[in-house]
Amino acid sequence: MSNNINIQFVFFDLGNVLLRFSLEALGKQCNAMLGLTNEVLFRAIYGDGMQALVECGTITEEEFYEEFCRRINQRPPYKELRDAMNDIFYICEETMPFVKRLAEENFPRGILSNIGSQHWDFCVEKFPELFALFPDNLVKSFEVGAVKPAKEIYQHAFEVAQKAVNGIEKSEVLFIDDMQRNVDGANDFGFDAVLFSEPELLAEEIEKRRLGPFY
């Protein structure tokens, strides 16, 4: 944990920090259509890093669909499959009070996420009340062409923070993520980063940085 208490900008991860997502719902919804086991389904989605290729924009959503169909030897309707894979998110209620307070205070803030374009578009459409709490400080891996914990995406995020806060230093950017490797990557880059595992622990970290109450 950094001793820095001069935080000037806060980046939030999207998945499992601002929005929870359910792999159980993913399996249930897709397999109702496909008749697969979760093992086969998840291997088709994530095997050989295919989902990461979507998240960094290396392949398009349409290319993902074609490869997915090849892997399962089926060709489900594109829109139905897309909807089944996208409708797995719900609001993370634990972080909302802190996000809302930052928005009320107009504290510089943004989103830094590994995500594909379809997941992003779905979330923006389904949760307008969440995205209304953020200005246009949005760092999406599929647009940047890199995924956390690569240095390139943190560099892009820092440039976004620099535009929002004149003269900001890397150590004055706080990043909150649910995966330790992404926190480590951000710390290595120079950000002040903390892991979101339990709300109570994150609350302690927020208060240590003199950002006010978490709840």
Side-chain angles (χ1 to χ4, degrees):
M1 195 277 290
S2 170
N3 291 322
N4 176 43
I5 59 173
N6 190 32
I7 298 300
Q8 300 295 315
F9 192 106
V10 179
F11 269 117
F12 296 84
D13 180 28
L14 185 63
N16 279 334
V17 175
L18 297 175
L19 293 175
R20 300 285 192 188
F21 61 88
S22 171
L23 292 179
E24 181 180 356
L26 175 63
K28 182 177 180 180
Q29 291 162 185
C30 289
N31 291 330
M33 180 192 320
L34 303 171
L36 304 174
T37 65
N38 279 353
E39 180 182 2
V40 172
L41 173 70
F42 293 149
R43 186 166 61 243
I45 295 173
Y46 300 108
D48 299 321
M50 186 164 71
Q51 182 64 25
L53 295 177
V54 173
E55 291 178 349
C56 67
T58 302
I59 64 173
T60 66
E61 299 284 357
E62 290 74 18
E63 289 170 331
F64 169 88
Y65 170 74
E66 294 296 336
E67 176 60 17
F68 178 81
C69 291
R70 187 194 68 80
R71 291 183 179 192
I72 65 170
N73 197 30
Q74 296 185 46
R75 196 170 185 83
Y78 180 84
K79 183 179 183 304
E80 292 179 22
L81 180 66
R82 180 195 65 194
D83 291 346
M85 288 187 171
N86 284 336
D87 196 10
I88 61 174
F89 296 92
Y90 56 99
I91 290 287
C92 180
E93 298 294 347
E94 297 95 330
T95 54
M96 283 304 99
F98 181 54
V99 175
K100 290 177 180 178
R101 185 172 61 76
L102 292 184
E104 290 168 358
E105 297 175 0
N106 200 26
F107 191 93
R109 63 209 177 278
I111 297 174
L112 169 53
S113 179
N114 286 356
I115 196 166
S117 61
Q118 285 192 3
H119 274 343
W120 179 267
D121 291 344
F122 174 85
C123 291
V124 169
E125 182 177 351
K126 184 169 182 179
F127 305 103
E129 71 280 11
L130 169 63
F131 289 89
L133 298 173
F134 287 89
D136 293 330
N137 301 319
L138 308 173
V139 181
K140 300 161 262 184
S141 61
F142 71 89
E143 290 185 345
V144 176
V147 296
K148 299 171 292 184
K151 178 180 178 180
E152 290 81 4
I153 196 168
Y154 299 118
Q155 178 61 42
H156 187 87
F158 183 50
E159 292 168 6
V160 168
Q162 286 178 307
K163 291 178 181 178
V165 182
N166 186 44
I168 193 171
E169 302 290 339
K170 289 181 181 179
S171 61
E172 295 172 332
V173 177
L174 175 63
F175 176 48
I176 303 169
D177 196 283
D178 69 308
M179 301 188 71
Q180 188 64 55
R181 67 174 180 266
N182 296 337
V183 170
D184 292 342
N187 278 322
D188 289 344
F189 178 74
F191 286 170
D192 182 12
V194 296
L195 181 70
F196 177 40
S197 54
E198 299 294 333
E200 294 78 11
L201 297 178
L202 182 58
E204 292 177 5
E205 296 296 335
I206 293 302
E207 291 175 4
K208 287 176 183 177
R209 287 157 176 79
R210 300 184 183 175
L211 289 173
F214 180 71
Y215 296 106

